[in-house]
Amino acid sequence: MDLAHLYRQMARARAYELAVDDLWTRGLIAGEMHVGSGEEAVAAGVVGHLKDGDGLALTHRCSPALVARGVPLVPMLRELLGREDGLCRGRGGHMHLFSRDHMAATSGIVGASLPTAAGFALANRRLRPGSVAVAFTGTGAMNQGMALETLNLAVGWQLPLIVVCIDNGWAITTVAGSVTGGDLVERARAFGWHCERVEGTDVQAVYAVAGRLVAKVRKGEGPGFLYATCPRLDGHILGD
């Protein structure tokens, strides 16, 4: 465990988010903006185990994981500004970023990261044995039909898939617990997933727990579910 590297990844992610906040506040980025301040330890601790060929599917709050994955920061910022020289030629914005070189994709559709990552995992199982796919999601998204279908299908097909569920206490502006039945870890375990819980502000703990899950999934032992608690330091969107 290289603590200096993990800290550097967390610091880069926070610095990027602060730059985005500044650009948005100055009116240079149009529309709403979701930032992931507070989630840096989860991103650094999980993505630190990924290798070339591993897939990464993210939500609208995607910046920390993309920074940790090594996606170039300047093209990402240019994308948010709607520029032709942005990561997706200015057409994706901050919620629909894609980097073929890093096999990383994001979506603004709640819950979509799970089936997207399942697709990455299926392709990896057939084309790149030993590679995995990771989906980041939130507690509210775990109640979406496509998320539940993925929990089932990933076990039925024994996909090399890890789902990282970040619990910041909210489902947009609703208290997450008020719209969720039961315990999400027990829900995933009931489908047959390998499950772990972790304090998402402790990067050492995240790195250690994520490492155990990723190792199991790489060996073909079935999908893994990581439930991480951490605060959301900003509102659902900037200005909220």
Side-chain angles (χ1 to χ4, degrees), residues 23 128 198:
L23 290 170
R128 292 172 290 273
V198 72

Side-chain angles (χ1 to χ4, degrees), residues 26-37:
R26 289 158 55 193
L28 298 176
I29 297 175
E32 61 185 29
M33 174 59 61
H34 310 81
V35 295
S37 299

Side-chain angles (χ1 to χ4, degrees), residues 16-17 20 24 31-37 59-64 80 94-95 108 172 232 234-238:
Y16 177 87
E17 297 286 50
V20 169
W24 184 88
E32 61 185 29
M33 174 59 61
H34 310 81
V35 295
S37 299
T59 70
H60 51 278
R61 211 175 301 280
C62 57
S63 299
L80 272 53
H94 84 283
M95 288 195 286
I172 304 182
R232 188 174 77 192
D234 296 281
H236 176 63
I237 56 176
L238 290 179

Side-chain angles (χ1 to χ4, degrees), residues 184-234:
L184 291 177
V185 173
E186 294 305 317
R187 183 188 297 181
R189 187 172 285 123
F191 278 98
W193 288 59
H194 301 289
C195 297
E196 298 272 5
R197 299 177 190 264
V198 72
E199 168 53 55
T201 59
D202 184 342
V203 70
Q204 290 178 267
V206 174
Y207 187 84
V209 172
R212 292 198 297 267
L213 271 182
V214 171
K216 288 181 179 180
V217 175
R218 282 199 195 280
K219 289 189 290 186
E221 296 181 11
F225 185 86
L226 177 60
Y227 180 84
T229 54
C230 65
R232 188 174 77 192
L233 302 184
D234 296 281

Side-chain angles (χ1 to χ4, degrees), residues 11 41 49-50 70 76 92 101 110 145 172 201 215 235:
H49 292 284
L50 300 188
M76 281 182 18
D101 291 341
V110 175
I172 304 182
T201 59

Side-chain angles (χ1 to χ4, degrees), residues 2 24 74 100 108 142 177 237:
D2 185 343
W24 184 88
V74 172
R100 183 185 298 273
M142 289 303 300
I237 56 176

Side-chain angles (χ1 to χ4, degrees), residues 5-6 8-14 16 39-50 56 58 62-73 76 102 136:
H5 176 71
L6 291 173
R8 190 178 303 114
Q9 293 289 59
M10 293 169 63
R12 290 177 70 243
R14 179 64 63 87
Y16 177 87
E39 299 180 0
E40 295 88 354
V42 180
V46 172
V47 176
H49 292 284
L50 300 188
L56 184 61
L58 303 167
C62 57
S63 299
L66 290 176
V67 173
R69 188 64 169 135
V71 178
L73 304 188
M76 281 182 18
H102 302 85
F136 277 70

